[in-house]
Amino acid sequence: FISVFYKDGLENIVQLLADNGVTIYSTGGTQTFIEKLGLKVVPVEDLTTYPSILGGRVKTLHPSVFGGILGKRDDAQHLTEMTQFNIPEIDLVIVDLYPFEQTVTEQMLKVSSFGGGLEEALIIEKIDIGGPSMIRAAAKNHASVVVVAAKKDYSLLENILQQQKGETSLEQRRMFAIKAFDVCTGYDMAISNYFNQTAFID
């Protein structure tokens, strides 16, 4: 499952996955990006049977997505239920988060340069819901799932997939999970800082 705001550096990974016969699910702009590469991609709507609704606020919050990420591969009941409800095993999640801090900074600069007030509605819409949920789900299930939550780790994933022919070790998945939890922690801190009007912490 791939759904990212920042697509630079993603092309080689997507091509590598396609070359290895991996089914790729995606959303919106990322789906279009993959299609323009001439590669096959399954829209998430085909998986959930729901379109993107509420102005894009709800796209991936569905059992077919989260069941595929969270299902234990060594649990007979999980596997039975996944089969029963046509839930695919999602083994790789590449998801980043809406640019909340960038949006806040842009709004602050706009206010200081041109006066007026913050357009808080723009800031609120950059509070990602589905992204952190998928990242946390994949990190929780790192026994079976690889999660990449930042574009700076694209090259690391690409190297691992190339060198190990699509395989990853538990140690590597755990490393990516730690990075993913750190990303979510930083994101939540930035949102908390904004609402508490405190300084951003790197």
Side-chain angles (χ1 to χ4, degrees):
F1 188 96
I2 308 176
S3 182
V4 294
F5 190 85
Y6 298 105
K7 299 167 186 64
D8 45 312
L10 187 64
E11 181 173 346
N12 288 346
I13 292 175
V14 174
Q15 186 66 60
L16 187 60
L17 294 172
D19 290 345
N20 281 277
V22 174
T23 299
I24 301 173
Y25 298 94
S26 191
T27 64
T30 307
Q31 176 189 330
T32 301
F33 171 81
I34 296 171
E35 289 172 339
K36 286 183 177 178
L37 296 175
L39 302 175
K40 185 177 179 182
V41 57
V42 179
V44 71
E45 291 89 345
D46 289 1
L47 181 58
T48 65
T49 70
Y50 276 85
S52 173
I53 61 173
L54 307 182
R57 281 189 166 194
V58 179
K59 295 188 288 284
T60 59
L61 298 168
H62 191 279
S64 292
V65 175
F66 282 87
I69 296 171
L70 284 166
K72 292 182 179 180
R73 311 312 198 248
D74 59 355
D75 187 306
Q77 182 178 348
H78 282 210
L79 295 176
T80 297
E81 290 177 357
M82 291 171 76
T83 300
Q84 178 184 356
F85 296 108
N86 297 314
I87 297 174
E89 294 181 7
I90 297 177
D91 301 317
L92 170 63
V93 172
I94 304 176
V95 171
D96 61 12
L97 303 175
Y98 294 159
F100 180 83
E101 289 177 85
Q102 178 184 329
T103 303
V104 171
T105 300
E106 290 170 353
Q107 284 294 304
M108 295 292 190
L109 287 173
K110 182 179 176 182
V111 169
S112 63
S113 300
F114 303 105
L118 286 175
E119 293 186 53
E120 188 163 83
L122 295 177
I123 295 172
I124 295 299
E125 288 307 315
K126 289 299 185 291
I127 298 177
D128 204 330
I129 304 301
S133 299
M134 284 189 288
I135 289 170
R136 288 175 60 84
K140 175 176 181 174
N141 202 24
H142 67 270
S144 302
V145 181
V146 182
V147 58
V148 175
K151 67 176 182 178
K152 63 186 173 85
D153 292 322
Y154 290 173
S155 59
L156 176 58
L157 174 65
E158 181 184 347
N159 290 336
I160 289 173
L161 293 178
Q162 285 180 331
Q163 293 171 8
Q164 297 171 199
K165 298 181 180 180
E167 297 290 334
T168 58
S169 68
L170 177 59
E171 181 181 5
Q172 289 166 337
R173 294 192 296 275
R174 183 179 176 83
M175 172 203 53
F176 280 120
I178 292 169
K179 288 173 175 283
F181 281 125
D182 286 345
V183 166
C184 288
T185 298
Y187 195 74
D188 286 340
M189 286 178 64
I191 295 170
S192 177
N193 289 338
Y194 167 74
F195 281 108
N196 285 296
Q197 299 184 343
T198 52
F200 287 124
I201 299 173
D202 188 350

